[in-house]
């Protein structure tokens, strides 16, 4: 049987067993990662899996079943089991679940890839990490680490409405970090970001990061941080680098606008949401510079695809426009429940997991300034970048972040390096204080977003650039 044959058999079996809607995904994923430490390869992981997952809808309830077997018998049994699970759940009271409309299509899509990352020799990839970590160790790092990760995923999707879609998504990325240990103090510097940079592209992305060229500098900065003055405590102007702002978007916007959290369907991993659907279209989320889009069409960004795992096409939408909250991340069922006419943000991290609402590329549109202009316009403040720690409450409202490095800003100039910089705030008040935003946008990739029970790991993208926020509480008071 072909992959489409298996998915079609599963869907038909679910319908025959009483489902009013069903869909099935076959996924074939190859994964490879390598880590190096202090000039030696530490671990190589290579994994491959293929299987089928089928959803069935009965009344207000979903059923799901997955099997690592594409035979006709296994596929049909999976469809029947999914329908039976849905029927058992449908005995609970509740109105039937509608699905937001989507056109059923036959289509193919593939992410861009110039250099097949799995085709690059292991020796070449190993030499890159060994060389970079050796350089960091030679320049003072007590712990020098490097890694890359590669995912090559093929999907085949069939629905009872007539979808027939195949996609191939290749993702990769990597990074390095240097840790220095002093007297009661440990400091880390990373390049190009904490856990690296990732995208839906080929090995050309890793080459563009130029890990070896940055190894010495980040090692030296990690040692310098051991004796740098601590970040002062108090309220001041805060400039966030693009990488840290990407995480700020992820935690205080991306998760907050997930419709399943807003509806109360999802509460795992620090989650519901402070947002109220009654305020959609009117709530002031941030300043007029705050324009957040949901855009899975960005070439090369980690949250990009052709179709989500419900067969909805990738479409760019506004989440926040001129500071007002106007859109959500939704699936077909949650959208219909909320009276919306769009989904498009449902994915699963493998064939054995139920698809759920996930971030795609949720990021800021470019602003009118440059980082140099923002610094020059700041009389007294702190510049922080690269995440070190994060904490946010279960409404995605109150937060505290720690960064790897800070710099004192005095009279429009960058001054001393600062260690252990932290800042805290309340989401909408923080975003309303943004008064300068750079146009130097990078689509930062986050390959480790956790959500759901059983837990799933999502790949998300966050276009971001440096920005300034006024009167933010930074540092830790004695």
């Amino acid at each position: 049987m072909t992959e489409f044959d298996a998915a079609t058999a599963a869907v038909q079996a679910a319908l025959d067993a009483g489902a009013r809607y069903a869909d099935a995904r076959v996924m074939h994923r190859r994964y490879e990662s390598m880590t190096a430490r202090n000039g030696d390869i530490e671990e190589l992981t290579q994994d491959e899996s293929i299987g089928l997952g089928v959803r069935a809808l009965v009344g207000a309830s979903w059923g799901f079943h997955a099997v690592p077997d594409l035979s006709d018998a296994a596929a049909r049994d999976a469809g029947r089991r999914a329908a039976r699970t849905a029927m058992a759940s449908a005995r609970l009271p509740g109105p039937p679940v509608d699905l937001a409309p989507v056109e059923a299509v036959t289509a193919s899509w593939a992410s861009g890839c110039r250099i097949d990352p799995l085709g690059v020799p292991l020796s070449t990839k190993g030499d890159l990490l060994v060389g970079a970590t050796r350089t960091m160790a030679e320049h003072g790092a007590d712990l020098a680490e490097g890694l890359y990760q590669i995912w090559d995923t093929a999907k085949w999707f069939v629905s009872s409405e007539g979808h027939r879609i195949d996609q191939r998504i290749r993702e990769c990325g990597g990074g390095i970090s240097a840790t220095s240990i002093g007297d009661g103090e440990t400091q880390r510097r990373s390049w190009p970001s904490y856990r690296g940079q990732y995208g839906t592209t080929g090995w050309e992305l890793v080459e563009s990061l130029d890990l070896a060229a940055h190894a010495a500098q980040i090692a030296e900065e990690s040692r310098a941080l051991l004796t740098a003055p601590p970040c002062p405590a108090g309220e001041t102007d805060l400039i966030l680098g693009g990488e840290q702002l990407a995480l700020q978007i992820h935690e205080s916007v991306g998760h907050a606008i997930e419709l399943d959290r807003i509806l109360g369907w999802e509460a795992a991993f620090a989650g519901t949401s402070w947002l109220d659907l009654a305020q959609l279209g009117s709530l002031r989320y941030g300043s007029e510079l705050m324009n957040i889009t949901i855009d899975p069409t960005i070439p090369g960004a980690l949250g990009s695809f052709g179709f989500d795992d419900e067969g909805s096409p990738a479409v760019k939408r506004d989440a926040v426009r001129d500071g007002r909250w106007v859109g959500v991340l939704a699936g077909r069922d949650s959208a219909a429940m909320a009276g919306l006419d769009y989904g498009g943000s449902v994915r699963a991290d493998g064939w054995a997991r139920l698809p759920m609402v996930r971030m795609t590329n949720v990021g800021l549109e470019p602003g009118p300034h440059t980082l140099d202009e923002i610094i020059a316009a700041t009389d007294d403040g702190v510049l922080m970048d690269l995440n070190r720690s994060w904490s946010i409450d279960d409404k995605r409202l109150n937060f505290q972040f720690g960064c790897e490095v800070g710099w004192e800003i005095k009279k429009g100039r960058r001054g001393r390096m600062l260690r252990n910089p932290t800042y805290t705030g309340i989401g909408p008040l923080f975003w309303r204080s943004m008064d300068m935003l750079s146009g130097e946008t990078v689509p930062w990739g986050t390959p480790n977003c956790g959500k759901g029970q059983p837990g799933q790991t999502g790949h998300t993208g966050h276009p971001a650039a440096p920005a300034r926020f006024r009167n933010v509480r930074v540092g830790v008071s004695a």
Side-chain angles (χ1 to χ4, degrees):
M1 294 180 70
T2 69
E3 292 84 1
F4 275 129
D5 289 339
T8 300
V11 167
Q12 188 59 54
L15 297 176
D16 292 343
R20 62 187 178 91
Y21 169 85
D23 59 36
R25 292 169 299 108
V26 173
M27 293 181 66
H28 177 202
R29 171 169 287 171
R30 293 184 293 165
Y31 172 75
E32 180 181 293
S33 69
M34 184 184 293
T35 58
R37 176 178 293 181
N38 292 356
D40 293 309
I41 298 298
E42 185 173 57
E43 184 176 12
L44 170 65
T45 300
Q46 293 177 312
D47 184 57
E48 183 171 7
S49 69
I50 187 168
L52 175 146
V54 55
R55 297 192 307 173
L57 182 61
V58 176
S61 300
W62 288 105
F64 178 77
H65 195 78
V67 291
D69 184 347
L70 302 188
S71 68
D72 182 73
R76 291 185 183 278
D77 184 59
R80 287 189 291 268
R81 287 175 179 268
R84 286 200 295 268
T85 300
M87 286 179 180
S89 300
R91 295 171 186 166
L92 299 174
V97 169
D98 293 321
L99 300 177
V102 63
E103 181 184 0
V105 297
T106 297
S108 296
W109 186 86
S111 59
C113 178
R114 186 168 57 83
I115 304 173
D116 179 6
L118 291 178
V120 177
L122 285 174
S123 59
T124 299
K125 293 180 279 198
D127 287 347
L128 173 64
L129 298 185
V130 166
T133 58
R134 185 171 292 155
T135 297
M136 288 187 287
E138 290 170 350
H139 283 78
D142 295 298
L143 179 62
E145 298 176 296
L147 84 159
Y148 72 78
Q149 297 184 84
I150 298 166
W151 300 264
D152 189 337
T153 306
K155 302 182 182 184
W156 296 263
F157 176 80
V158 171
S159 82
S160 57
E161 295 176 336
H163 291 89
R164 189 180 176 92
I165 299 167
D166 66 274
Q167 301 185 80
R168 186 179 183 189
I169 301 174
R170 284 182 278 196
E171 306 158 297
C172 72
I176 55 175
S177 66
T179 301
S180 294
I181 302 170
D183 184 13
E185 190 78 32
T186 300
Q187 295 292 334
R188 184 189 69 223
R189 287 288 284 125
S190 306
W191 176 264
S193 72
Y194 172 60
R195 293 183 177 172
Q197 167 67 324
Y198 298 84
T200 53
T201 183
W203 191 252
E204 60 270 17
L205 171 61
V206 177
E207 291 183 345
S208 73
L209 301 177
D210 207 357
L211 303 180
H214 293 87
Q217 179 182 346
I218 69 164
E220 291 164 1
E221 288 184 359
S222 74
R223 292 221 68 83
L225 280 168
L226 293 174
T227 55
C231 176
E235 286 193 359
T236 190
D237 290 345
L238 171 66
I239 302 171
L240 288 184
E243 190 268 359
Q244 174 59 31
L245 191 54
L247 185 65
Q248 181 75 53
I249 294 167
H250 180 99
E251 299 293 350
S252 68
V253 181
H255 278 307
I257 64 171
E258 291 170 336
L259 186 53
D260 56 348
R261 292 186 186 274
I262 296 170
L263 293 173
W265 295 2
E266 165 66 31
F269 283 101
T272 50
S273 175
W274 66 276
L275 293 170
D276 182 346
L277 272 177
Q279 296 180 297
L280 183 64
S282 62
L283 175 73
R284 171 64 65 181
Y285 208 125
S287 74
E288 292 187 355
L289 278 175
M290 187 184 186
N291 293 297
I292 299 277
T293 60
I294 300 165
D295 188 3
T297 70
I298 300 172
L302 190 60
S304 295
F305 48 79
F307 298 84
D308 78 348
D309 284 350
E310 293 186 308
S312 297
V315 175
K316 179 181 179 179
R317 302 186 189 279
D318 285 340
V320 178
R321 178 54 53 184
D322 299 327
R324 295 195 182 277
W325 176 44
V326 296
V328 297
L329 293 151
R332 296 180 65 191
D333 54 357
S334 57
M337 180 69 72
L340 304 174
D341 63 356
Y342 62 88
S345 301
V346 166
R347 289 185 290 166
D349 76 351
W351 55 267
R353 290 289 182 262
L354 181 69
M356 64 170 65
V357 175
R358 300 307 303 254
M359 284 178 250
T360 62
N361 298 310
V362 179
L364 275 167
E365 290 190 341
H369 309 110
T370 66
L371 176 58
D372 287 344
E373 289 171 347
I374 295 172
I375 292 172
T378 303
D379 186 60
D380 184 60
V382 178
L383 167 62
M384 301 184 192
D385 204 8
L386 270 71
N387 184 259
R388 185 172 181 177
S389 65
W390 65 94
S391 176
I392 193 162
D393 70 8
D394 60 0
K395 292 288 188 180
R396 297 284 159 176
L397 186 60
N398 300 281
F399 62 82
Q400 177 174 308
F401 289 96
C403 295
E404 287 188 1
V405 64
W407 289 273
E408 187 178 65
I409 305 297
K410 293 290 186 183
K411 300 186 184 304
R413 294 181 179 274
R414 185 189 303 212
R416 300 179 300 170
M417 181 184 291
L418 303 174
R419 63 182 164 92
N420 302 333
T422 64
Y423 67 98
T424 187
I426 300 172
L429 299 180
F430 178 80
W431 286 106
R432 291 170 196 168
S433 76
M434 181 172 67
D435 73 334
M436 296 188 78
L437 173 63
S438 170
E440 301 153 315
T441 301
V442 173
W444 295 100
T446 300
N448 59 300
C449 175
K451 186 177 178 182
Q453 291 176 322
Q456 297 191 37
T457 301
H459 293 184
T460 67
H462 303 290
R468 186 176 73 175
F469 300 83
R470 306 304 296 271
N471 302 318
V472 177
R473 181 165 294 279
V474 305
V476 179
S477 299

